[in-house]
Amino acid sequence: MQDRLQALKEEALLKIEQASDLKALQDVKVSYLGKKGPITEVLKGMGKLSPEERPVVGAYANEVRDAITSALESKVAELEQAVIEEKLKKESIDVTLPGRPVRQGNAHPLTAVIEEIEDLFLTMGFTVAEGPEVETDYYNFEALNLPKDHPARDMQDSFFITEDILLRTQTSPVQARTMEKHHGRGPVKIISPGKVYRRDDDDATHSHQFMQIEGLVVEENVRLSDLKGVLETFAKKMFGEDRKIRLRPSFFPFTEPSVEMDISCFKCGGKGCSICKHTGWIEILGAGMVHPNVLEMAGFDSKKYTGFAFGMGPERIAMLKYGIDDIRHFYTNDLRFLKQFKKA
Ligand code: 2NL
């Protein structure tokens, strides 16, 4: 019986040694160690042995089974390791290959200009305020001292949704709403960038939807000279340190007095060229001291508080700065146009 076990052991170990894959090992395991395998058979037949022989054969049978089991385990580990090594060899990557460049886009020129203007005012202590594009007649007109019969309220000029609701024609309603939230206490120091809407036929210089940036400061003892200082800083930072500014009298319903600001031409320096239409000056924005009616309607005591406000069109600023000749370029999404504003 021992000889039979010895033979089985050698046979199994040889098969394990020769096995070339895991499947073959599994077959060896089933055929030698399985319930119907020869070793189990030997163990079952031990009842027929004499009591002296039984422990000796039993111990040897166990030894054979353990030898086969451990040979199987180490061969399985060996084959698995070989599979991993094969895989590593096949999947190795060449780290010296040049990388694939990630294509990087750029901000829309209008976005870039608006953010530049925002940053500039943020450094002067302003915060950015936002509000709804669908506005009430009250905030868009009435709170800004635009009386019921003012031509700006005309159906010809505005997109009305109902008699009382319209697409905002300026960002001033944001300022009126912000002032109200201050409950009559200063300081208010905000800029409000955003989309505005006017009924207009689109052409090279008109668009029914465009952007506006307004600024507002309300505090005690705010004067026109404060307005002038802030706007001069803005003009120099945006168009060059050697810019001069000038204020011309103007009219807006929500400011009194009202002014328009020109900068000295950044192209010709004031001598006269096509950009400044041979005047040496370029109109940049409108501004003024906040009308007392506007302050009072927003809950501020106009005897105690004064303020200044200004408004500009970022499209115009961008067109001047980059020499863009048609406002429609901003909205028609032609990549040949947009890609020219990639920063170096
Ligand atoms: C322009 C002129 C301007 C304002 C906007 C304003 C807002 C409040 C009170 C007073 Cl809440 N004023 N805004 C003032 C003057 C001019 O815009 O030409 N914009 C493109």
Side-chain angles (χ1 to χ4, degrees):
M1 202 167 241
Q2 246 151 313
D3 291 346
R4 167 103 178 98
L5 283 169
Q6 171 80 24
L8 282 171
K9 179 180 162 189
E10 275 159 23
E11 207 181 292
L13 293 182
L14 185 68
K15 281 194 180 160
I16 290 167
E17 183 55 41
Q18 287 168 346
S20 60
D21 57 31
L22 294 169
K23 165 85 175 64
L25 289 175
Q26 183 61 23
D27 290 346
V28 172
K29 187 175 181 182
V30 171
S31 60
Y32 286 86
L33 303 178
K35 279 203 187 83
K36 290 184 185 118
I39 294 173
T40 313
E41 287 301 309
V42 168
L43 290 169
K44 271 185 199 158
M46 289 218 312
K48 293 186 202 111
L49 296 176
S50 67
E52 300 82 52
E53 270 181 314
R54 224 176 277 157
V56 181
V57 172
Y60 190 60
N62 280 336
E63 198 186 304
V64 168
R65 194 188 51 205
D66 290 350
I68 294 173
T69 304
S70 83
L72 273 169
E73 278 170 4
S74 67
K75 186 72 180 182
V76 164
E78 191 184 304
L79 286 181
E80 280 175 347
Q81 187 58 31
V83 167
I84 290 170
E85 261 156 36
E86 183 65 21
K87 230 176 156 179
L88 279 173
K89 219 185 271 170
K90 260 196 276 175
E91 291 175 5
S92 72
I93 49 164
D94 181 354
V95 292
T96 64
L97 273 177
R100 253 171 264 157
V102 179
R103 278 198 292 161
Q104 196 169 15
N106 58 277
H108 189 284
L110 204 46
T111 306
V113 164
I114 289 168
E115 285 177 357
E116 191 181 343
I117 296 171
E118 283 178 3
D119 285 347
L120 229 150
F121 281 102
L122 287 171
T123 65
M124 288 194 266
F126 286 72
T127 55
V128 176
E130 288 181 336
E133 288 174 25
V134 180
E135 256 303 354
T136 60
D137 184 274
Y138 177 79
Y139 284 112
N140 195 75
F141 292 132
E142 200 149 332
L144 295 158
N145 204 31
L146 280 122
K148 280 270 186 244
D149 54 356
H150 195 281
R153 290 192 179 204
D154 200 312
M155 295 288 281
Q156 301 293 321
D157 296 310
S158 313
F159 289 111
F160 276 90
I161 290 160
T162 68
E163 207 167 302
D164 193 46
I165 295 172
L166 74 158
L167 297 181
R168 67 183 184 192
T169 58
Q170 48 199 1
T171 57
S172 331
V174 178
Q175 328 241 43
R177 286 172 178 276
T178 307
M179 275 193 282
E180 265 188 9
K181 284 195 202 121
H182 275 72
H183 300 290
R185 278 185 300 277
V188 179
K189 204 172 175 189
I190 54 167
I191 56 164
S192 54
K195 291 195 202 84
V196 299
Y197 304 82
R198 305 240 176 121
R199 272 197 62 164
D200 234 334
D201 291 321
D202 294 1
D203 63 24
T205 52
H206 296 82
S207 173
H208 62 281
Q209 179 222 292
F210 54 102
M211 303 296 287
Q212 201 183 22
I213 299 182
E214 282 188 64
L216 173 73
V217 173
V218 178
E219 180 55 304
E220 292 177 47
N221 301 316
V222 170
R223 295 175 294 189
L224 192 69
S225 53
D226 298 314
L227 168 66
K228 194 179 169 195
V230 166
L231 293 183
E232 185 165 15
T233 303
F234 163 72
K236 286 176 186 288
K237 289 264 161 57
M238 200 71 195
F239 291 100
E241 282 302 322
D242 49 354
R243 294 280 70 66
K244 289 186 177 63
I245 65 158
R246 74 176 183 188
L247 301 180
R248 287 178 287 107
S250 186
F251 173 80
F252 300 107
F254 25 78
T255 46
E256 181 61 35
S258 303
V259 296
E260 253 156 299
M261 180 178 84
D262 299 336
I263 58 168
S264 58
C265 183
F266 51 82
K267 188 70 189 253
C268 65
K271 287 199 295 286
C273 69
S274 62
I275 298 238
C276 58
K277 299 192 193 93
H278 304 281
T279 64
W281 295 95
I282 300 172
E283 186 186 322
I284 292 294
L285 52 75
M289 299 308 290
V290 180
H291 197 291
N293 289 352
V294 174
L295 289 172
E296 294 286 342
M297 272 185 283
F300 278 87
D301 179 353
S302 63
K303 288 195 183 63
K304 191 172 166 203
Y305 282 99
T306 48
F308 68 76
F310 55 88
M312 68 184 105
E315 282 91 347
R316 183 174 157 75
I317 307 275
M319 287 168 84
L320 284 168
K321 208 172 152 110
Y322 297 115
I324 297 162
D325 60 4
D326 194 319
I327 196 170
R328 290 169 292 195
H329 283 312
F330 292 121
Y331 312 114
T332 42
N333 296 330
D334 187 333
L335 288 175
R336 291 168 301 179
F337 169 74
L338 296 173
K339 280 181 173 172
Q340 294 176 48
F341 299 92
K342 206 168 258 183
K343 286 201 184 98

